[in-house]
Amino acid sequence: MKKIEVIIRPGKLEEVKAALSKYGIRGMTVSEVAGCGLQKGKKEVYRGNEYTIDLLPKVKVEIVVGQERVAELVDLLVATTRTGQIGDGKIFIYPVEDAVRIRTGERGLTALGESGQ
Amino acid sequence: MRKPLLTLFLLAGLLPAGGPAALAATGPAVDSGDTAFIILCTALVMLMTPALAFFYGGMVRQKNVLSTMMHSFIAIALVSLIWVLYGYSLAFGPDIKGLIGAPSAIGLKGVSMLPNETYAATIPELVFVAFQLMFAIITTAIISGAYAERMRFTAFLLFSALWVSVVYLPLAHWVWGDGGWLRQLGALDFAGGTVVHISSGVSGLVAALVLGRRKGLKSQPPLPHNLPFTVLGASLLWFGWFGFNAGSALGSNGLAAMAFLVTNTAAATAALAWLLAEWLHHGKPTVLGAASGAVAGLVAITPAAGFVTPLASLLIGLGGGLLCYLAVAVLKQRLGYDDALDAFGCHGVGGMWGALATGLFATKTVNELGADGLLYGNPHQLLVQLIGVAATIVFAALATWLLLKLVGLLTELRVSPEEEEMGLDITVHGEKAYRENLSGSPLPGTSGSLLAQAGATSLSH
C-alpha cells in the first residue's frame, strides 16, 4: 500500500474530488495547509505598504491505495491539477505498512475497500 | 466620607430646580423639529463608535480583534459616566479664564429639559449634553488605534479616563465653550477637526511612541484579519458622520443640509483620491485604501463642514485623501513609529489639513456666524486656524505624554512579550473571536472555510 499526498491549489479541490470519485476512490483526508516551494510567495498591499506573504494557502489531499493503482492515480492527479503555472503543487508517495478499518477491524487492502480489485 | 459624597450626588443630580412643567412655563421654547433631528443625529454619532470598533477590529490580527473592539466599546461606557458626572460641566460650564468650564453642573445639576440659549437655543440642553457626549466617546476611542495590539487593559482604562478629563474637556471648552480662548480668538471648528481629530491623532502618535513598536512585526506581519469588517466599519462611520457634521448645525435647517452634502462630497473625493494614489504607487486599487480614504475625507471636512461650499469640500476631500495616504504609506515608514491603525495618519493629519483648509475656504455666504477664509480675502482666519492647530498639537502631545508617564507609574502600560505573542484576546480577556478548525492551525488562510465549502472532511479509508 502507498499513501499519496497531494499538495494542490485550493481552487483545484473540487476537480480532484470529482476525478477521484470517478476513478472509484471514495476515501480521502483533506486539510487546509500553508506552504512554499518554487513559488516565492506573493505581494499584498495594505494602506500603501507592501508585505510579502511567504506561505501560501494550499490544500493537502491524502489517499491510501494499493501499490498497483499508484502510477495510474498519479497520472490522473497530475492531469487534474496541472495549470502549467508556478504553484501547481507537489505529489508525495509514501509506503504504508498496514491499514485498519476501525469499525470492523479489517486490515490491509480490505480496510481500504480494495479487496478483490 | 461616604455620607457627604452621597448627599452631594443627591443634591447635584436628583434635585433639579423645579419640575419640567414649572420650567416650561418660564424658559425658552423647544423646537420639536430641531429636537427630533438632533436626537437622531446623536444616535448616529453614537453608532460611529461601534463602527470604529469594526473599522479597527478588521485591521488587526485575529488574535487581537476582541481587545481592539473592546477599546471602542468600553469607551462608550467609561466616557458616558464621566460626561454625566463632571465632563459636560468642565467642557461647557461657566467659563474660567478661557481654559475650562466651572464644575457647577456636576452630575448635570441644573441641566434641564429647556434649551441652553448659549449653545443651542431650540433643543433641550439634555439633548445637547447627549450629542456632545458622543463626540467625547469617539475621540477617546480613536486614540486606541495607535496602541492597538499591545496596551494593557488596566492601563487603557486609566489612560482613557484621565485623557478625556485632562485633554478632551479643556480642548472642548477652548474651542466650543462659551468664553473658551480659541473660540474668543475666532477659531472655527464646526464639528471637531481640532477637538476630536487633531487631539486624538496627536495623542495616538505620542502613545505609539511611548509604548514602542509591536513585537515581531517582521515574523508576524500585522496584516488585517478581516477586511470586510473594516469596510463595514468605514461604511457605518460614513453614515454616522452625517449626524456628526449635519447635527453640529444644532438645528434642522439649511446649514445642516449644507454640512450633510459637503461631508458626503469630501468623503467621496478622498476615497477616490486615496484609491488613485495607491493605484499609481502600488499598481492595485485596494478596498482598504478606498475605506481609509473615505475616513480621511470625513475627518478633513469635519472642521469645515458648516463653513464651506460643496466645491471647496471637494478640494478638502482631495487634500485629505492624498495627505493622509502620504502620512500612512510614506511618512510612517520613513520615521518608523508604530501607529498600529493610523490614528495619527488618518485623524491627526486629516484633522490638521481640515482645520487649515477651513482657514482657506470658509465663507460667510455659507454661514454668517462663521468667517471668511484666505480665499475670501481674510488671511487672518488662516493664522487663527494655525494657532488653534498648534495649540492643540502642543497641548495634546504634552498632556498625553505626562498622563502616560503617570499611568506607567501606577501600572504597566504594555502587556508582556509572551502575552503580546499569544494575543491580547486570550491573555487579557480570556476569550477568542473565532473557533479554530479541528487541527487548531494558526496558519494564515486556514480558517476552515474552504473545507466547509467543499464539504470535505475526513473520510474513513
Side-chain angles (χ1 to χ4, degrees):
Chain A
M1 289 181 293
K2 298 281 184 186
K3 179 164 105 168
I4 301 176
E5 193 177 286
V6 204
I7 312 287
I8 57 170
R9 296 177 186 276
K12 283 286 183 183
L13 178 59
E14 284 301 319
E15 282 177 61
V16 168
K17 277 175 63 190
L20 289 175
S21 174
K22 204 170 169 187
Y23 186 67
I25 288 181
R26 289 174 296 127
M28 72 186 77
T29 303
V30 179
S31 14
E32 290 188 72
V33 295
C36 57
L38 290 179
Q39 199 179 7
K40 290 296 182 195
K42 64 182 187 302
K43 192 180 75 177
E44 294 182 18
V45 181
Y46 296 102
R47 279 191 164 166
N49 296 300
E50 288 185 2
Y51 299 91
T52 303
I53 310 300
D54 297 325
L55 298 178
L56 300 173
K58 296 285 176 189
V59 164
K60 182 170 75 176
V61 181
E62 294 164 277
I63 316 151
V64 178
V65 293
Q67 172 84 49
E68 66 280 6
R69 304 180 77 184
V70 170
E72 209 177 5
L73 197 50
V74 166
D75 288 344
L76 174 72
L77 287 167
V78 167
T80 311
T81 57
R82 175 184 282 163
T83 69
Q85 304 296 311
I86 287 178
D88 274 352
K90 291 272 190 305
I91 297 176
F92 301 106
I93 301 158
Y94 306 89
V96 173
E97 276 191 20
D98 201 354
V100 181
R101 177 178 273 153
I102 294 172
R103 176 167 55 85
T104 59
E106 292 162 293
R107 310 288 290 249
L109 287 177
T110 314
L112 300 181
E114 289 192 18
S115 56
Q117 289 180 0
Chain B
M1 280 303 287
R2 282 186 180 175
K3 273 196 172 174
L5 255 182
L6 184 65
T7 314
L8 177 72
F9 269 66
L10 283 172
L11 286 174
L14 302 179
L15 299 173
L23 291 170
T26 54
V30 166
D31 182 292
S32 62
D34 286 351
T35 304
F37 176 61
I38 301 302
I39 286 179
L40 182 64
C41 287
T42 303
L44 282 174
V45 184
M46 185 275 170
L47 180 67
M48 291 172 71
T49 303
L52 186 76
F54 275 95
F55 183 64
Y56 278 174
M59 279 191 282
V60 293
R61 288 166 287 186
Q62 186 172 311
K63 61 185 181 178
N64 293 318
V65 54
L66 292 178
S67 65
T68 301
M69 295 183 93
M70 184 74 150
H71 287 155
S72 292
F73 198 80
I74 283 302
I76 303 175
L78 185 68
V79 179
S80 291
L81 292 190
I82 290 173
W83 196 250
V84 167
L85 290 176
Y86 58 83
Y88 177 72
S89 190
L90 296 192
F92 293 97
D95 178 62
I96 301 176
K97 298 186 184 304
L99 297 176
I100 192 84
S104 56
I106 290 222
L108 298 186
K109 179 188 169 192
V111 176
S112 76
M113 296 180 216
L114 291 177
N116 177 331
E117 289 188 83
T118 308
Y119 293 117
T122 59
I123 62 173
E125 188 174 6
L126 287 170
V127 176
F128 181 70
V129 170
F131 185 62
Q132 289 296 337
L133 159 63
M134 300 311 164
F135 284 65
I137 289 171
I138 193 165
T139 310
T140 311
I142 289 169
I143 308 170
S144 68
Y147 52 69
E149 300 198 301
R150 58 203 191 280
M151 196 179 208
R152 286 187 69 225
F153 189 62
T154 314
F156 156 77
L157 286 175
L158 272 171
F159 170 69
S160 296
L162 287 168
W163 187 88
V164 80
S165 307
V166 174
V167 181
Y168 186 85
L169 299 179
L171 262 179
H173 185 79
W174 294 2
V175 177
W176 292 327
D178 187 33
W181 75 272
L182 280 173
R183 179 170 162 162
Q184 296 291 93
L185 204 63
L188 297 178
D189 185 0
F190 192 69
T194 309
V195 179
V196 174
H197 297 291
I198 300 180
S199 71
S200 59
V202 168
S203 299
L205 177 62
V206 171
L209 291 171
V210 170
L211 264 82
R213 291 167 62 81
R214 285 166 290 174
K215 303 279 181 206
L217 287 182
K218 285 203 170 168
S219 57
Q220 284 188 351
L223 304 182
H225 89 285
N226 190 333
L227 282 183
F229 267 14
T230 299
V231 177
L232 171 72
S235 309
L236 289 176
L237 277 170
W238 193 332
F239 178 70
W241 225 291
F242 293 130
F244 202 79
N245 287 2
S248 290
L250 293 169
S252 176
N253 51 36
L255 188 60
M258 181 62 98
F260 193 113
L261 189 64
V262 297
T263 298
N264 194 61
T265 308
T269 314
L272 291 171
W274 185 305
L275 198 70
L276 190 64
E278 201 164 50
W279 207 341
L280 293 172
H281 190 187
H282 286 290
K284 287 201 168 77
T286 69
V287 181
L288 178 58
S292 308
V295 172
L298 290 162
V299 169
I301 194 61
T302 293
F307 307 115
V308 299
T309 64
L311 267 183
S313 75
L314 195 150
L315 295 173
I316 291 172
L318 183 69
L322 295 178
L323 289 171
C324 292
Y325 179 79
L326 281 176
V328 165
V330 180
L331 185 71
K332 187 165 93 160
Q333 300 312 306
R334 294 257 167 94
L335 299 181
Y337 57 85
D338 185 17
D339 174 4
L341 308 178
D342 301 307
F344 176 73
C346 288
H347 296 271
V349 172
M352 287 177 211
W353 160 243
L356 295 177
T358 307
L360 294 175
F361 298 113
T363 166
K364 282 186 169 179
T365 57
V366 168
N367 187 346
E368 277 188 358
L369 299 176
D372 283 329
L374 177 69
L375 295 180
Y376 293 86
N378 179 21
H380 176 71
Q381 190 58 38
L382 186 60
L383 178 68
V384 171
Q385 296 300 111
L386 194 62
I387 292 171
V389 170
T392 306
I393 293 173
V394 171
F395 176 61
L398 274 178
T400 301
W401 186 80
L402 284 169
L403 287 179
L404 285 167
K405 291 294 163 192
L406 174 66
V407 173
L409 292 176
L410 301 171
T411 181
E412 288 284 328
L413 288 175
R414 190 167 169 157
V415 296
S416 70
E418 295 73 29
E419 288 172 315
E420 201 176 322
E421 172 69 28
M422 286 181 68
L424 275 60
D425 291 4
I426 198 74
T427 57
V428 175
H429 302 291
E431 297 168 289
K432 284 199 315 194
Y434 313 101
R435 290 289 131 203
E436 289 155 353
N437 58 22
L438 278 181
S439 68
S441 168
L443 291 168
T446 57
S447 62
S449 57
L450 193 81
L451 283 177
Q453 283 167 22
T457 50
S458 298
L459 302 173
S460 62
H461 285 114

